[in-house]
């Protein structure tokens, strides 16, 4: 069933539980590492539509996955805004011009996704053509809050000193940044659908570092506006949308009422509990701890079965990890996971 992933997002019956894996096109695959070497660096690979298409499809040549996700990065929008993105091996993303004042935010240009991020759209169109409807293609973006953390901090952070300082001392400045990013993410995701994406996912990687009132104001409300904007535009009105807040288990009920079609879960939340709380509103995606894939094949299989049992019978489950796959995972463990989910979910 080539559309079992899309059917599961709509909570329609499927022949078995669909599975795809966050970061499934990535550093754990030797063939990916070869293409990245050919490209020169990560950003150059992202901006080369032919190579981005190639690595998007690589995991589907190895594994019986139920969806492809376009190979890209969540920081494409701030890069297009001219903040001077660099990605260093072992260091992570860095912006040469972080946002520290309201004047910095006001100067941020609007992003024309179809032109400034045309390399993403070209990669999507190529991948959709190559897939030939074998499986659906997922487009994605970072959430406004997650993008803002990198843009204000100037890179990765453990303390979120500058962005939380702005949030607490200059909330109007933070609101202005969220408004600009909400518009940009909406336009970006619409352009991805126009290029061929059949499902959308918003990665809220850092929403879980916020207190509840701040999460609602600076993370959930912008994502909710994006969902509403997408549903109101003809090009994206029927495209299923998944929201994933890492560390967001306490707020499942609020996330589920955003208008999204599915909620992604990390491994700290029981699927059974999540289903009893929100399963009548949305599909659920998740939620194996990625580190289980470092374990033996027997352990990988038994944990997959446990998670299937935790969700229980019925529709609305997309199997995934609770976050992205780690670079050091052996590809054979992924094969065991995918095959186990398909085999055992038939029952």
């Amino acid at each position: 069933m080539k559309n079992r992933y899309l059917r599961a997002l709509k909570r329609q019956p499927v022949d078995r539980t669909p599975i795809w894996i966050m970061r499934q096109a990535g550093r754990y695959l030797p063939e990916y590492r070869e293409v990245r070497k050919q490209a020169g660096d990560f950003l150059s690979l992202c901006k080369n539509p032919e190579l981005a298409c190639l690595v998007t499809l690589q995991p589907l040549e190895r594994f019986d996955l139920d969806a492809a996700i376009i190979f890209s990065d969540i920081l494409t929008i701030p890069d297009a805004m001219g903040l001077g993105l660099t990605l260093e091996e072992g260091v992570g993303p860095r912006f040469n011009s972080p946002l520290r004042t309201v004047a910095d935010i006001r100067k941020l240009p609007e992003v024309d996704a179809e032109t400034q991020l045309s390399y993403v759209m070209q990669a999507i169109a190529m991948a959709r053509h190559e897939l030939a409807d074998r499986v659906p293609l997922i487009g994605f973006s970072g959430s406004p809050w997650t993008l803002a953390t990198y843009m204000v901090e100037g890179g990765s952070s453990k303390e979120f000193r500058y962005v939380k300082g702005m949030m607490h001392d200059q909330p109007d400045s933070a609101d202005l940044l969220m408004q600009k990013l909400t518009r940009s993410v909406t336009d970006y995701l619409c352009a991805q659908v126009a290029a061929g994406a059949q499902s959308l996912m918003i990665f809220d990687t850092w929403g879980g570092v916020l207190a509840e009132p701040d999460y609602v104001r600076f993370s959930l409300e912008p994502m909710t506006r994006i969902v509403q904007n997408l549903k109101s535009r003809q090009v994206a009105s029927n495209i299923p949308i998944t929201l994933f807040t890492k560390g967001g288990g306490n707020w499942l009920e609020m996330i589920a009422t955003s208008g999204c079609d599915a909620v992604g879960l990390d491994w700290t939340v029981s699927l059974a509990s999540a289903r009893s709380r929100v399963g009548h509103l949305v599909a659920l995606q998740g939620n194996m701890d990625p580190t289980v894939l470092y374990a033996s094949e027997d352990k990988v299989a038994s944990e997959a079965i446990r998670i299937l049992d935790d969700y229980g019978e019925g529709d609305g489950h997309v199997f995934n990890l609770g976050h992205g796959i780690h670079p050091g995972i052996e590809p054979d463990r992924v094969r065991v996971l995918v095959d186990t989910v398909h085999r055992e979910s038939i029952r």
Side-chain angles (χ1 to χ4, degrees):
M1 183 183 288
K2 65 181 181 180
N3 287 327
R4 65 169 68 101
Y5 163 70
L6 296 177
R7 290 181 62 85
L9 289 180
K10 297 173 183 177
R11 290 179 292 140
Q12 296 173 353
V14 292
D15 57 338
R16 62 193 70 189
T17 300
I19 176 171
W20 69 277
I21 294 172
M22 288 186 272
R23 294 184 186 152
Q24 65 189 24
R27 289 176 291 171
Y28 74 106
L29 292 177
E31 56 266 40
Y32 165 84
R33 294 194 293 270
E34 286 298 315
V35 176
R36 177 166 170 169
K37 189 184 302 180
Q38 177 186 343
D41 58 63
F42 179 81
L43 269 181
S44 297
L45 176 52
C46 288
K47 294 182 178 182
N48 185 316
E50 291 81 8
L51 295 183
C53 172
L54 174 62
V55 296
T56 296
L57 302 177
Q58 282 178 338
L60 279 82
E61 301 305 314
R62 275 184 178 261
F63 315 119
D64 187 22
L65 295 159
D66 293 296
I69 183 166
I70 193 64
F71 179 81
S72 187
D73 191 76
I74 64 168
L75 298 179
T76 50
I77 288 175
D79 182 40
M81 288 176 164
L83 299 188
L85 175 64
T86 59
L87 288 166
E88 300 177 38
E89 194 71 35
V91 177
R94 288 287 181 269
F95 286 110
N96 296 329
S97 304
L99 308 174
R100 296 290 164 79
T101 68
V102 68
D104 294 335
I105 295 170
R106 286 180 180 144
K107 286 189 295 187
L108 277 177
E110 296 288 331
V111 174
D112 186 328
E114 292 188 354
T115 56
Q116 291 174 273
L117 298 171
S118 61
Y119 59 89
V120 178
M121 311 317 153
Q122 292 171 34
I124 288 173
M126 290 177 186
R128 181 71 189 276
H129 174 75
E130 292 296 323
L131 285 167
D133 288 332
R134 176 172 147 201
V135 296
L137 179 63
I138 305 168
F140 71 91
S141 173
S143 71
W145 166 254
T146 291
L147 298 182
T149 64
Y150 291 99
M151 296 166 75
V152 176
E153 295 295 325
S156 301
S157 177
K158 293 182 179 178
E159 297 177 352
F160 302 95
R161 169 186 174 185
Y162 295 107
V163 71
K164 284 193 172 186
M166 179 184 289
M167 179 184 74
H168 292 304
D169 284 337
Q170 305 173 60
D172 290 344
S173 298
D175 282 336
L176 178 61
L177 180 55
M178 294 305 115
Q179 290 164 17
K180 288 197 167 200
L181 288 171
T182 295
R183 288 195 297 271
S184 293
V185 170
T186 299
D187 291 345
Y188 182 44
L189 292 175
C190 277
Q192 291 187 39
V193 172
Q198 294 159 281
S199 172
L200 296 171
M201 183 158 173
I202 299 176
F203 288 93
D204 186 35
T205 309
W206 297 118
V209 305
L210 294 169
E212 183 171 302
D214 300 322
Y215 174 73
V216 172
R217 177 172 176 176
F218 297 106
S219 183
L220 182 58
E221 288 183 359
M223 288 194 293
T224 300
R225 286 195 293 273
I226 291 167
V227 171
Q228 292 170 346
N229 292 343
L230 291 169
K231 298 289 186 183
S232 70
R233 296 195 187 183
Q234 186 173 358
V235 68
S237 59
N238 294 316
I239 298 295
I241 303 167
T242 302
L243 299 187
F244 172 62
T245 293
K246 187 172 183 288
N250 287 336
W251 307 314
L252 289 181
E253 289 85 353
M254 290 190 291
I255 299 170
T257 56
S258 66
C260 68
D261 300 277
V263 175
L265 305 172
D266 64 24
W267 57 91
T268 64
V269 183
S270 158
L271 279 172
S273 170
R275 191 178 183 187
S276 69
R277 290 163 62 188
V278 301
H280 63 293
L281 293 174
V282 290
L284 296 174
Q285 176 180 283
N287 63 336
M288 180 186 279
D289 183 341
T291 63
V292 173
L293 292 171
Y294 285 121
S296 67
E297 293 186 2
D298 286 347
K299 175 61 179 178
V300 171
S302 66
E303 183 66 3
I305 293 169
R306 185 196 68 77
I307 290 169
L308 290 170
D309 288 343
D310 191 34
Y311 187 85
E313 294 184 3
D315 52 37
H317 182 207
V318 174
F319 200 106
N320 208 312
L321 304 180
H323 201 235
I325 188 170
H326 296 179
I329 298 297
E330 290 290 335
D332 281 347
R333 298 297 191 275
V334 177
R335 179 175 292 104
V336 170
L337 173 62
V338 174
D339 291 349
T340 300
V341 169
H342 282 161
R343 181 182 64 250
E344 296 296 328
S345 62
I346 292 175
R347 63 186 172 85

